[in-house]
Amino acid sequence: MPGPLVVNDSVVIPDAELVWRFSRSSGPGGQGVNTTDSRVELTFDVAASTALPPALKDRARGRLGGDTITIAASEYRSQLRNRQAARDRLAQRLREAIAPPPKRRRPTKPSRGAVERRITAKKQRSDVKRLRRDP
């Protein structure tokens, strides 16, 4: 499991840039819960990273609202599984943060033919209803 974190095809974060912290998980548990450090906190400093080009750094910092990302994982009883969950969540958050912005929608208007067909259909429907009325 140790090794670089692959975010996408072009971004790979070296293991040295990831800061791990371990603590005891909260909540109910058995005999091992009071002695094992299974809760994981994974911290990544976007501003100090060498893995991201400046344009992606700026985009990520703008979308994340800060320079660092901290992911906490404590849903599993095993520290190893929590580490993997934290790595997966960090990769997903970074993928979303550095994704290119969506294309802007070009405003369009209906064609003249479409407008005419709509008006013609409305007139036909109006005529049908008018003919159903009592004279």
Side-chain angles (χ1 to χ4, degrees), residues 17-130:
E17 292 186 7
L18 302 176
V19 178
W20 296 92
R21 212 174 110 216
F22 307 101
S23 60
R24 294 190 179 123
S25 289
S26 64
Q31 296 169 341
V33 75
N34 295 325
T35 58
T36 58
D37 291 338
S38 59
R39 183 176 187 271
V40 172
E41 278 188 19
L42 175 58
T43 305
F44 174 64
D45 190 0
V46 176
S49 176
T50 59
L52 296 171
L56 291 182
K57 256 188 219 186
D58 292 340
R59 186 183 298 162
R61 286 167 57 188
R63 288 185 181 167
L64 295 170
D67 290 343
T68 60
I69 305 173
T70 302
I71 305 287
S74 62
E75 56 264 18
Y76 300 107
R77 292 177 63 184
S78 159
Q79 185 189 96
L80 185 65
R81 289 183 69 188
N82 283 330
R83 285 177 70 138
Q84 188 59 46
R87 284 175 64 97
D88 293 344
R89 270 194 262 153
L90 177 64
Q92 181 62 34
R93 288 272 309 270
L94 283 174
R95 223 174 280 123
E96 292 169 0
I98 65 173
K103 288 189 175 184
R104 289 182 49 124
R105 181 190 170 278
R106 284 181 47 201
T108 58
K109 60 181 184 179
S111 66
R112 183 182 299 156
V115 171
E116 289 174 2
R117 284 190 299 272
R118 183 179 65 85
I119 299 295
T120 304
K122 285 170 70 88
K123 285 181 181 176
Q124 287 174 350
R125 186 73 184 151
S126 171
D127 290 342
V128 166
K129 290 188 171 194
R130 187 176 41 82

